[in-house]
Amino acid sequence: MPLTVAGIGCRASGDDGIGIALVEGLPDPGPGGDVELVVWENADALTLVAELLERHGPVIVADCSDMKAPPGTWRFFDTASAVLRVSPRNLSSHGLGAAEALAMARDLGFTWPVYVFGVQPYGVAPGRPMTPAMRARLPELVRALNRTIRRIVRRSSAEENASCRMPSN
Amino acid sequence: MTGPTYTIDVHHVTRVEGHGNIRVNVRNGEVEDVRLMISEANRFFESFTRGMRPHEIPWIVGRICGICCVGHQLAATKAVEDAQKIAVSDQTKLLRKLLNDSQFIQSHVLHVYFLAVPDYVGVPSVLPLAKTHPDVVRRALALKKLANDYTAVMGGRMLHPMANTLKGWRKLPDLRELEKIRDRLVAAVPDLQETVGTMTSLSIPPYERETEFVSLKHPDEYALYDGLVYSSDTKTSVPVSEYRNVTNEFTVAHSTTKWSRWHRESYAVGALARVNNNFDQLRPEAKEAAEAMGLKVPCFNPYMNNVAQVVETIHCAFNSVEMIEALLQSGLAEEDISYKPTAGRGFGATEVPRGILFHDYAFDGTGRCVDANAVIPTSQNINNIEQDMRAFVPRMLPDLSRDDITLRLEMLLRAYDPCISCSVHMLDVEFVD
């Protein structure tokens, strides 16, 4: 059950492309390993659901996130421990976001953990490249994401081994 | 006179792209007024294009819509090429037809499954649908992903593709990737058949109103990319360059969208119009699906537009397989896409999922755009939707509650798959007490 690390966002909207830049900045794990890197650029919510349903392991989503934190800071959290607000109203396709996508994926049987590596943007604006401040932070953020990935892989391996050692009834 | 007095006021209708309101006044059991009010602000895309060079325009106007981005790009490309007197190769036409088909599959699947079906199974949105009908949603997601990937292979990316340009393709599709799309389309046939089964199980409201249907018509194929402008009233066609005499746009006080009419008070465009006008040219598999779902032409029930969308999805899937196989056999050749900007005016039309789309551009001697106009399907349909509502509400009133009438009117609007944002204007239903 490989760990998927997915960069999402739009690289033509300033720091909204940080998730994509992070994944593209990670060292290539090579084929057949315990980590798969993917970019889901400009993916709408329904595409996100479809991509999640094709995975058979935990997923880390690297994304630009408004966490009311100082710009450039990152946070890593398990979506199971976060409150993601889902709109209860009749939704158009424009009304579906990442929270709705995750809720739908769960309803459709996606049970693997989904983590978010979120980065607070300096600026998000259509038609703009990444801000210079975020570009300067990028190497450190990539290292932080890489350390986080290694930690999750170790934890997943440990859990898998423990599961294998469990006596069967 | 006795009878209920109330107002239906839907402010904004949900699960449509953009904002529109429905208002119905019922006094003493009689319908006093029915209005479809569009309140979105103008977007001025035509103004954006002024001063631009010819090849820049299709990429810019594609941004009018995230759903119909391919259609806007293709209609604009054709109009600019007409103005610049640019001829395109058969290879380019085939690539554009494939790109267009990918958009049709994506848009129709999105609309039918995620925006229309929830009404028919009594849930407010696709989110609860995932709980109650997970297999249906999984199937829809798989079909939509296939269509998205198809667009990405053809156009370079799934949203606002950039490969198509004047005279040809900036970067030709990878034939190995296209072969995979062909295989996935073939593998999707059971899902398409299941889609027909799902639609057959839905209870379509029975309301009909004799309507003028307008679409492109082509002598050799089911017209989606090219053709003349055909009316079901006159059984004749006119050139795309005469589109202003087709749309005859006019304004009404309660809508920021312009309205259209041709040979009568209103006309309809879209999947049902195309299926009605060009049924004989559908793929046999699509005709069989139409029959299985109870769609017989002429069909004057606008709620059946959702069924027509499924018919076209099947047509596009099988048509794509055939076109891809032709392309795999012939191979692709790099083409010269250079051109010299010149003065002139040109017109282009394509069918997009919601109906016929017109673009019109004029350029000065330096090759800069000096005038532009686009007439999108929803602005052509809005008048017809209101006419439908005016005809249907009196028929609904004796048997349906206020809430049921509201739902039926919202479903009617959604059946047309309107893109109010594109039309520059959309819907909420309001019953007036």
Side-chain angles (χ1 to χ4, degrees):
Chain A
M1 52 174 195
L3 170 69
T4 299
V5 183
I8 67 174
C10 174
R11 65 179 101 220
S13 289
D15 292 345
D16 191 47
I18 183 62
I20 296 166
L22 282 169
V23 169
E24 291 179 342
L26 288 168
D28 183 358
D34 48 12
V35 176
E36 184 185 5
L37 306 181
V38 295
V39 168
W40 297 333
E41 188 173 7
N42 299 330
D44 59 33
L46 298 175
T47 301
L48 202 54
V49 179
E51 295 288 359
L52 285 174
L53 293 177
E54 289 187 356
R55 305 285 139 187
H56 302 286
V59 176
I60 294 177
V61 175
D63 192 15
C64 168
S65 307
D66 185 3
M67 303 172 291
K68 315 301 179 201
T73 56
W74 62 272
R75 286 186 180 158
F76 180 76
F77 57 92
D78 186 339
T79 55
S81 63
V83 178
L84 300 178
R85 196 161 56 88
V86 175
S87 171
R89 279 284 290 152
N90 300 355
L91 299 164
S92 78
S93 56
H94 290 165
L96 294 170
E100 287 79 14
L102 184 57
M104 194 187 300
R106 294 294 189 217
D107 288 337
L108 293 173
F110 184 79
T111 56
W112 295 99
V114 176
Y115 307 98
V116 174
F117 186 92
V119 180
Q120 183 74 36
Y122 291 89
V124 174
R128 294 297 181 95
M130 187 179 291
T131 60
M134 187 64 87
R135 272 205 303 276
R137 285 277 293 149
L138 187 57
E140 188 180 332
L141 292 168
V142 168
R143 285 194 292 276
L145 176 57
N146 204 18
R147 286 195 301 272
T148 305
I149 291 168
R150 291 296 122 209
R151 183 160 54 85
I152 294 298
V153 167
R154 282 196 300 275
R155 185 200 297 174
S156 296
S157 300
E159 287 172 357
E160 203 170 349
N161 291 336
S163 171
C164 289
R165 287 197 297 272
M166 289 275 283
S168 57
N169 291 326
Chain B
M1 184 180 290
T2 60
T5 295
Y6 56 80
T7 299
I8 294 176
D9 184 4
V10 182
H11 206 91
H12 307 300
V13 176
T14 54
R15 276 183 277 130
V16 295
E17 305 306 336
H19 298 98
N21 311 324
I22 301 169
R23 174 179 280 200
V24 178
N25 299 343
V26 178
R27 187 176 300 280
N28 298 323
E30 297 288 331
V31 179
E32 201 170 66
D33 196 17
V34 178
R35 289 195 176 199
L36 175 54
M37 298 181 293
I38 307 301
S39 53
E40 288 220 358
N42 291 291
R43 295 171 67 203
F44 305 112
F45 260 89
E46 287 103 330
S47 298
F48 294 166
T49 64
R50 290 186 184 169
M52 285 186 178
R53 292 173 294 175
H55 64 274
E56 294 172 324
I57 289 174
W59 296 327
I60 294 298
V61 298
R63 266 67 174 183
I64 290 174
C65 183
I67 306 286
C68 293
C69 50
V70 168
H72 279 288
Q73 187 183 102
L74 293 179
T77 303
K78 290 172 68 179
V80 173
E81 286 172 343
D82 186 37
Q84 297 294 314
K85 300 171 183 60
I86 293 171
V88 299
S89 68
D90 289 343
Q91 171 180 297
T92 292
K93 286 178 187 169
L94 186 56
L95 292 174
R96 288 179 183 167
K97 287 176 185 177
L98 285 165
L99 183 61
N100 205 26
D101 273 8
S102 74
Q103 175 201 237
F104 268 81
I105 297 172
Q106 188 275 141
S107 178
H108 281 348
V109 167
L110 172 71
H111 182 255
V112 169
Y113 274 109
F114 296 106
L115 303 182
V117 162
D119 283 327
Y120 289 94
V121 297
V123 295
S125 79
V126 68
L127 290 181
L129 194 65
K131 291 182 195 291
T132 58
H133 298 73
D135 292 343
V136 171
V137 174
R138 277 178 173 275
R139 185 198 313 147
L141 287 167
L143 287 170
K144 184 175 180 299
K145 185 171 189 307
L146 165 57
N148 282 349
D149 292 344
Y150 182 6
T151 302
V153 168
M154 289 307 304
R157 61 189 189 191
M158 67 181 179
L159 186 63
H160 299 302
M162 296 289 286
N164 169 66
T165 188
L166 303 184
K167 286 185 77 176
W169 241 244
R170 295 200 308 163
K171 182 176 184 300
L172 291 170
D174 183 327
L175 289 179
R176 286 165 301 182
E177 294 300 316
L178 204 49
E179 195 171 1
K180 290 179 192 169
I181 293 295
R182 189 264 323 262
D183 294 345
R184 288 173 64 187
L185 285 166
V186 171
V189 169
D191 278 352
L192 295 171
Q193 290 167 338
E194 287 292 324
T195 302
V196 172
T198 298
M199 292 305 289
T200 307
S201 71
L202 304 180
S203 181
I204 307 286
Y207 304 98
E208 294 185 349
R209 184 176 70 87
E210 211 265 333
T211 301
E212 178 182 13
F213 292 112
V214 176
S215 70
L216 290 179
K217 194 171 193 67
H218 192 283
D220 303 325
E221 62 191 24
Y222 187 80
L224 294 178
Y225 173 71
D226 213 355
L228 300 175
V229 188
Y230 178 83
S231 163
S232 62
D233 270 10
T234 62
K235 316 289 186 203
T236 59
S237 301
V238 300
V240 171
S241 58
E242 293 180 23
Y243 78 95
R244 284 183 186 272
N245 296 328
V246 172
T247 59
N248 298 293
E249 288 184 301
F250 62 103
T251 58
V252 295
H254 59 285
S255 171
T256 48
T257 291
K258 290 176 184 170
W259 284 23
S260 297
R261 63 181 165 221
W262 195 4
H263 298 105
R264 57 172 90 181
E265 78 278 5
S266 66
Y267 66 83
V269 298
L272 187 61
R274 291 187 292 262
V275 169
N276 271 313
N277 287 349
N278 300 314
F279 185 85
D280 289 344
Q281 292 164 305
L282 282 167
R283 298 273 317 188
E285 300 85 352
K287 288 180 185 171
E288 287 170 19
E291 186 178 356
M293 292 183 287
L295 198 168
K296 292 179 183 168
V297 295
C299 173
F300 295 112
N301 179 346
Y303 292 91
M304 290 292 279
N305 193 57
N306 295 144
V307 172
Q309 289 175 318
V310 173
V311 170
E312 287 194 330
T313 302
I314 292 167
H315 171 85
C316 289
F318 281 93
N319 200 44
S320 292
V321 169
E322 190 173 285
M323 287 193 293
I324 291 171
E325 283 174 354
L327 205 55
L328 293 173
Q329 289 218 332
S330 65
L332 287 169
E334 294 287 346
E335 296 182 295
D336 174 20
I337 56 172
S338 62
Y339 73 101
K340 186 178 178 186
T342 183
R345 183 181 177 191
F347 310 90
T350 57
E351 287 287 346
V352 294
R354 291 157 189 80
I356 191 168
L357 168 66
F358 299 105
H359 278 242
D360 168 6
Y361 300 96
F363 299 89
D364 64 14
T366 67
R368 296 282 177 176
C369 181
V370 292
D371 199 11
N373 190 30
V375 183
I376 70 109
T378 297
S379 66
Q380 295 171 73
N381 271 335
I382 288 291
N383 182 12
N384 203 65
I385 300 171
E386 185 174 295
Q387 300 301 331
D388 281 348
M389 289 177 174
R390 289 179 182 279
F392 296 161
V393 170
R395 291 184 227 169
M396 294 173 178
L397 206 51
D399 304 319
L400 298 180
S401 68
R402 173 178 171 160
D403 286 347
D404 286 341
I405 294 174
T406 301
L407 176 60
R408 293 290 171 93
L409 293 180
E410 291 189 76
M411 288 169 68
L412 173 63
L413 180 64
R414 289 189 195 110
Y416 276 87
D417 190 8
C419 189
I420 297 171
S421 307
C422 280
S423 79
V424 188
H425 330 286
M426 192 53 213
L427 176 74
D428 292 318
V429 183
E430 184 178 352
F431 278 92
V432 176
D433 290 315

Coordinates of all heavy atoms in Angstrom, one line a residue, chain A residues 41-44 46-47 49-51 53-54 86-94 96 100 103-104 107-110, chain B residues 12 14-18 67 110 114-115 124-127 130-131 134 137-138 141 144-145 148 158-159 410 414 421:
Chain A
E41 N -3.2 18.9 -10.9 CA -3.3 20.3 -11.2 C -4.6 20.7 -11.7 O -5.2 20.1 -12.5 CB -2.2 20.8 -12.2 CG -2.1 22.3 -12.3 CD -0.9 22.7 -13.2 OE1 -0.3 21.8 -13.8 OE2 -0.7 23.9 -13.3
N42 N -5.2 21.8 -11.1 CA -6.5 22.3 -11.5 C -7.6 21.3 -11.4 O -8.6 21.4 -12.1 CB -6.4 22.9 -13.0 CG -5.5 24.0 -13.2 OD1 -5.2 24.7 -12.2 ND2 -4.9 24.1 -14.3
A43 N -7.4 20.3 -10.5 CA -8.4 19.3 -10.4 C -9.6 19.8 -9.7 O -9.5 20.4 -8.6 CB -7.8 18.1 -9.7
D44 N -10.8 19.6 -10.3 CA -12.0 20.0 -9.6 C -12.4 18.9 -8.5 O -11.7 17.9 -8.5 CB -13.2 20.2 -10.6 CG -13.5 18.9 -11.4 OD1 -13.4 17.8 -10.9 OD2 -14.0 19.1 -12.5
L46 N -14.7 16.8 -8.2 CA -15.1 15.4 -8.7 C -13.9 14.7 -9.2 O -13.8 13.4 -9.0 CB -16.2 15.6 -9.7 CG -17.5 16.2 -9.3 CD1 -18.5 16.4 -10.4 CD2 -18.2 15.4 -8.2
T47 N -13.0 15.4 -9.8 CA -11.8 14.7 -10.2 C -11.0 14.2 -9.0 O -10.4 13.1 -9.0 CB -10.9 15.7 -11.1 OG1 -11.7 16.1 -12.2 CG2 -9.7 15.1 -11.6
V49 N -12.2 13.3 -6.2 CA -12.8 12.1 -5.7 C -12.4 10.9 -6.5 O -12.0 9.8 -6.0 CB -14.3 12.2 -5.7 CG1 -15.0 10.9 -5.2 CG2 -14.8 13.4 -4.9
A50 N -12.5 11.1 -7.8 CA -12.1 9.9 -8.7 C -10.7 9.5 -8.5 O -10.4 8.3 -8.5 CB -12.3 10.4 -10.2
E51 N -9.8 10.5 -8.3 CA -8.4 10.1 -8.1 C -8.2 9.4 -6.8 O -7.5 8.4 -6.7 CB -7.5 11.4 -8.1 CG -7.4 12.1 -9.4 CD -6.6 11.4 -10.5 OE1 -6.1 10.3 -10.2 OE2 -6.5 11.9 -11.6
L53 N -10.3 7.5 -5.3 CA -10.9 6.2 -5.3 C -10.0 5.2 -6.1 O -10.2 4.0 -5.9 CB -12.3 6.2 -6.0 CG -13.4 6.9 -5.2 CD1 -14.7 7.0 -6.0 CD2 -13.6 6.3 -3.9
E54 N -9.1 5.7 -6.8 CA -8.1 4.8 -7.5 C -6.9 4.5 -6.7 O -6.0 3.7 -7.1 CB -7.7 5.5 -8.8 CG -8.8 5.5 -9.9 CD -8.3 6.0 -11.2 OE1 -7.1 6.4 -11.3 OE2 -9.1 6.0 -12.2
V86 N -18.5 21.0 5.3 CA -19.2 20.6 4.1 C -20.5 21.3 3.9 O -21.3 21.4 4.9 CB -19.4 19.1 4.1 CG1 -20.2 18.6 2.9 CG2 -18.1 18.3 4.3
S87 N -20.7 21.9 2.7 CA -21.9 22.7 2.5 C -23.1 21.7 2.5 O -23.1 20.7 1.8 CB -21.8 23.4 1.2 OG -23.0 24.0 0.9
P88 N -24.2 22.1 3.2 CA -25.3 21.2 3.2 C -26.3 21.5 2.1 O -27.3 20.8 1.8 CB -26.0 21.5 4.5 CG -25.7 23.0 4.8 CD -24.3 23.2 4.1
R89 N -26.1 22.6 1.4 CA -27.1 23.1 0.4 C -26.9 22.4 -1.0 O -26.0 21.7 -1.2 CB -26.9 24.6 0.2 CG -27.6 25.4 1.2 CD -29.1 25.4 1.0 NE -29.5 26.2 -0.1 CZ -30.5 26.0 -0.8 NH1 -31.4 25.1 -0.5 NH2 -30.8 26.8 -1.9
N90 N -28.0 22.6 -1.8 CA -27.9 22.1 -3.2 C -26.7 22.7 -3.9 O -26.6 23.9 -4.0 CB -29.2 22.5 -3.9 CG -30.4 21.9 -3.3 OD1 -30.3 21.2 -2.3 ND2 -31.5 22.3 -3.8
L91 N -25.8 21.9 -4.3 CA -24.5 22.4 -4.8 C -24.5 22.3 -6.3 O -24.9 21.4 -7.0 CB -23.4 21.5 -4.3 CG -23.3 21.5 -2.7 CD1 -22.4 20.4 -2.3 CD2 -22.7 22.9 -2.3
S92 N -23.9 23.4 -6.9 CA -23.6 23.3 -8.3 C -22.1 22.8 -8.4 O -21.5 22.6 -7.3 CB -23.6 24.7 -9.0 OG -22.5 25.4 -8.7
S93 N -21.6 22.5 -9.6 CA -20.3 22.0 -9.6 C -19.3 23.0 -9.1 O -18.2 22.7 -8.6 CB -19.9 21.6 -11.1 OG -20.1 22.7 -11.9
H94 N -19.7 24.3 -9.1 CA -18.8 25.4 -8.5 C -18.8 25.3 -7.0 O -17.9 25.9 -6.4 CB -19.3 26.7 -9.0 CG -19.0 27.0 -10.5 ND1 -19.6 28.0 -11.1 CD2 -18.3 26.3 -11.4 CE1 -19.2 28.0 -12.4 NE2 -18.4 26.9 -12.6
L96 N -18.6 22.7 -5.1 CA -17.9 21.5 -4.5 C -16.5 21.9 -4.3 O -15.8 22.3 -5.2 CB -18.0 20.3 -5.4 CG -19.4 19.7 -5.6 CD1 -19.4 18.7 -6.7 CD2 -20.0 19.1 -4.3
E100 N -15.9 18.7 0.4 CA -17.0 17.9 -0.2 C -16.4 16.7 -0.9 O -17.0 15.6 -0.8 CB -17.8 18.8 -1.2 CG -18.7 19.8 -0.5 CD -18.0 21.0 -0.1 OE1 -16.8 21.2 -0.5 OE2 -18.6 21.8 0.7
A103 N -15.5 14.1 1.7 CA -16.7 13.5 2.3 C -17.3 12.5 1.3 O -17.7 11.5 1.7 CB -17.7 14.6 2.6
M104 N -17.3 12.9 0.0 CA -17.9 12.0 -1.0 C -17.0 10.8 -1.1 O -17.5 9.6 -1.2 CB -18.0 12.7 -2.3 CG -18.9 12.0 -3.3 SD -18.9 12.7 -5.0 CE -19.5 14.3 -4.7
D107 N -17.8 8.5 1.6 CA -19.1 7.8 1.4 C -19.0 6.7 0.4 O -19.8 5.7 0.4 CB -20.2 8.8 1.0 CG -20.6 9.7 2.1 OD1 -20.5 9.3 3.3 OD2 -21.1 10.8 1.8
L108 N -18.1 6.9 -0.5 CA -17.9 5.9 -1.6 C -16.9 4.8 -1.2 O -16.6 4.0 -2.1 CB -17.5 6.6 -2.9 CG -18.6 7.5 -3.5 CD1 -18.0 8.3 -4.7 CD2 -19.8 6.7 -3.9
G109 N -16.5 4.8 0.0 CA -15.7 3.6 0.5 C -14.2 3.8 0.6 O -13.5 2.9 0.8
F110 N -13.7 5.1 0.4 CA -12.3 5.3 0.5 C -12.0 5.5 2.0 O -12.3 6.5 2.6 CB -11.9 6.6 -0.2 CG -10.4 6.8 -0.2 CD1 -9.6 6.1 -1.0 CD2 -9.8 7.7 0.7 CE1 -8.2 6.3 -1.0 CE2 -8.5 7.9 0.7 CZ -7.7 7.2 -0.1
Chain B
H12 N -31.7 31.9 -5.5 CA -31.3 31.5 -6.8 C -31.6 30.0 -7.0 O -31.5 29.2 -6.0 CB -29.8 31.6 -7.0 CG -29.3 33.0 -6.7 ND1 -29.7 34.1 -7.3 CD2 -28.4 33.4 -5.7 CE1 -29.0 35.1 -6.8 NE2 -28.2 34.7 -5.9
T14 N -30.5 26.4 -7.6 CA -29.2 25.8 -7.4 C -28.9 24.7 -8.5 O -29.8 24.3 -9.2 CB -29.1 25.1 -6.0 OG1 -30.2 24.3 -5.9 CG2 -29.1 26.2 -4.9
R15 N -27.7 24.2 -8.4 CA -27.3 23.1 -9.3 C -27.4 23.6 -10.8 O -27.7 22.8 -11.7 CB -28.0 21.8 -9.1 CG -27.3 21.0 -8.0 CD -27.9 19.6 -7.8 NE -29.1 19.7 -7.0 CZ -30.3 19.2 -7.3 NH1 -30.4 18.5 -8.4 NH2 -31.3 19.3 -6.5
V16 N -27.2 24.9 -11.0 CA -27.0 25.4 -12.4 C -25.8 26.3 -12.3 O -25.4 26.7 -11.2 CB -28.2 26.2 -12.9 CG1 -29.4 25.4 -13.1 CG2 -28.5 27.4 -12.0
E17 N -25.2 26.5 -13.4 CA -24.0 27.4 -13.4 C -24.4 28.8 -13.5 O -25.0 29.3 -14.5 CB -23.0 27.0 -14.6 CG -22.6 25.6 -14.6 CD -22.0 25.1 -13.3 OE1 -21.5 25.9 -12.5 OE2 -22.1 23.9 -13.1
G18 N -24.2 29.6 -12.5 CA -24.7 31.0 -12.5 C -25.9 31.2 -11.6 O -26.4 30.3 -10.9
I67 N -16.8 25.0 -18.2 CA -17.4 23.7 -18.7 C -17.3 23.7 -20.2 O -17.0 22.6 -20.8 CB -18.9 23.7 -18.2 CG1 -19.0 23.9 -16.7 CG2 -19.5 22.3 -18.7 CD1 -18.6 22.7 -15.9
L110 N -21.4 15.1 -16.4 CA -21.5 16.0 -15.2 C -22.9 16.5 -15.0 O -23.4 16.4 -13.8 CB -20.6 17.2 -15.4 CG -20.7 18.3 -14.4 CD1 -20.1 17.9 -13.0 CD2 -20.0 19.6 -14.8
F114 N -24.7 14.6 -11.9 CA -24.4 15.4 -10.7 C -25.4 16.5 -10.5 O -25.5 17.0 -9.3 CB -22.9 15.9 -10.7 CG -21.9 14.8 -10.7 CD1 -21.2 14.4 -11.8 CD2 -21.7 14.0 -9.5 CE1 -20.3 13.4 -11.8 CE2 -20.8 13.0 -9.5 CZ -20.1 12.7 -10.6
L115 N -26.0 17.0 -11.5 CA -26.9 18.2 -11.4 C -28.3 17.8 -11.6 O -29.2 18.4 -10.9 CB -26.4 19.3 -12.3 CG -25.0 19.8 -12.2 CD1 -24.7 20.9 -13.2 CD2 -24.7 20.2 -10.8
P124 N -31.0 16.4 -2.2 CA -30.7 17.8 -2.6 C -29.5 18.0 -3.4 O -29.3 19.1 -4.1 CB -30.6 18.5 -1.2 CG -30.2 17.4 -0.3 CD -30.9 16.2 -0.8
S125 N -28.5 17.1 -3.4 CA -27.3 17.3 -4.2 C -26.6 15.9 -4.4 O -27.1 14.9 -3.9 CB -26.4 18.2 -3.4 OG -25.7 17.6 -2.4
V126 N -25.5 16.0 -5.0 CA -24.7 14.8 -5.3 C -24.1 14.2 -4.0 O -23.8 13.0 -3.9 CB -23.6 15.0 -6.3 CG1 -22.5 15.9 -5.8 CG2 -23.0 13.7 -6.8
L127 N -24.0 15.0 -2.9 CA -23.3 14.5 -1.7 C -24.2 13.3 -1.1 O -23.7 12.3 -0.8 CB -23.1 15.6 -0.7 CG -22.0 16.6 -1.2 CD1 -21.8 17.6 -0.1 CD2 -20.6 15.8 -1.4
A130 N -24.2 10.1 -3.1 CA -23.1 9.2 -2.9 C -23.4 8.2 -1.7 O -22.9 7.1 -1.8 CB -21.8 10.0 -2.5
K131 N -24.2 8.6 -0.8 CA -24.6 7.7 0.3 C -25.7 6.7 -0.2 O -25.6 5.5 0.1 CB -25.1 8.5 1.5 CG -24.1 9.3 2.3 CD -24.8 10.0 3.4 CE -24.0 11.1 4.1 NZ -22.8 10.7 4.8
P134 N -24.3 4.8 -4.2 CA -22.8 4.8 -4.4 C -22.4 4.2 -5.8 O -21.4 4.8 -6.4 CB -22.2 4.0 -3.2 CG -23.4 3.2 -2.7 CD -24.6 4.0 -3.0
V137 N -22.8 6.9 -8.4 CA -21.9 8.0 -8.4 C -20.5 7.5 -8.8 O -19.7 8.2 -9.5 CB -21.8 8.6 -6.9 CG1 -20.7 9.6 -6.8 CG2 -23.2 9.2 -6.6
R138 N -20.1 6.3 -8.4 CA -18.8 5.7 -8.8 C -18.8 5.6 -10.4 O -17.8 6.0 -11.0 CB -18.6 4.3 -8.3 CG -18.1 4.3 -6.8 CD -18.0 2.9 -6.3 NE -17.4 2.8 -5.0 CZ -16.1 2.7 -4.9 NH1 -15.3 2.8 -5.9 NH2 -15.5 2.7 -3.7
L141 N -18.4 9.1 -11.8 CA -17.0 9.6 -11.6 C -16.0 9.0 -12.6 O -15.1 9.7 -13.1 CB -16.5 9.4 -10.2 CG -17.2 10.2 -9.1 CD1 -16.9 9.7 -7.7 CD2 -16.7 11.7 -9.2
K144 N -16.6 10.5 -16.0 CA -16.2 11.9 -16.0 C -14.6 12.0 -16.1 O -14.0 12.8 -16.8 CB -16.7 12.7 -14.8 CG -16.3 14.2 -14.9 CD -16.9 15.0 -13.8 CE -16.5 16.4 -13.9 NZ -15.1 16.7 -13.8
K145 N -14.0 11.1 -15.3 CA -12.5 11.1 -15.3 C -12.0 10.7 -16.7 O -11.0 11.2 -17.2 CB -12.0 10.1 -14.3 CG -10.5 10.1 -14.1 CD -10.0 9.4 -12.9 CE -8.5 9.6 -12.7 NZ -7.7 9.3 -13.9
N148 N -12.3 13.7 -18.9 CA -11.3 14.7 -18.5 C -9.9 14.3 -19.1 O -9.2 15.1 -19.7 CB -11.2 14.8 -17.0 CG -12.3 15.6 -16.4 OD1 -13.0 16.3 -17.1 ND2 -12.4 15.6 -15.1
M158 N -6.8 19.2 -19.1 CA -8.3 19.0 -19.1 C -9.1 20.3 -19.1 O -10.2 20.3 -19.5 CB -8.7 18.0 -18.0 CG -8.5 18.6 -16.6 SD -8.9 17.4 -15.4 CE -8.6 18.3 -13.9
L159 N -8.5 21.3 -18.5 CA -9.3 22.6 -18.3 C -8.6 23.6 -19.2 O -7.4 23.8 -19.0 CB -9.3 23.0 -16.9 CG -10.2 24.2 -16.5 CD1 -11.7 23.9 -16.9 CD2 -10.1 24.5 -15.1
E410 N -37.8 24.2 -11.0 CA -36.3 24.1 -10.9 C -35.8 23.0 -11.8 O -34.7 23.1 -12.5 CB -35.9 23.8 -9.5 CG -36.2 25.0 -8.6 CD -35.6 24.8 -7.2 OE1 -34.3 25.0 -7.1 OE2 -36.3 24.5 -6.2
R414 N -33.1 23.2 -14.8 CA -31.9 22.4 -14.8 C -31.9 21.5 -16.0 O -30.8 21.1 -16.5 CB -31.8 21.5 -13.6 CG -31.5 22.3 -12.3 CD -31.3 21.4 -11.1 NE -31.3 22.2 -9.9 CZ -32.3 22.1 -9.0 NH1 -33.3 21.2 -9.1 NH2 -32.3 22.9 -7.9
S421 N -23.8 31.9 -16.0 CA -22.6 32.7 -16.0 C -22.2 33.1 -17.4 O -21.8 34.2 -17.7 CB -21.5 32.0 -15.3 OG -21.9 31.5 -14.0

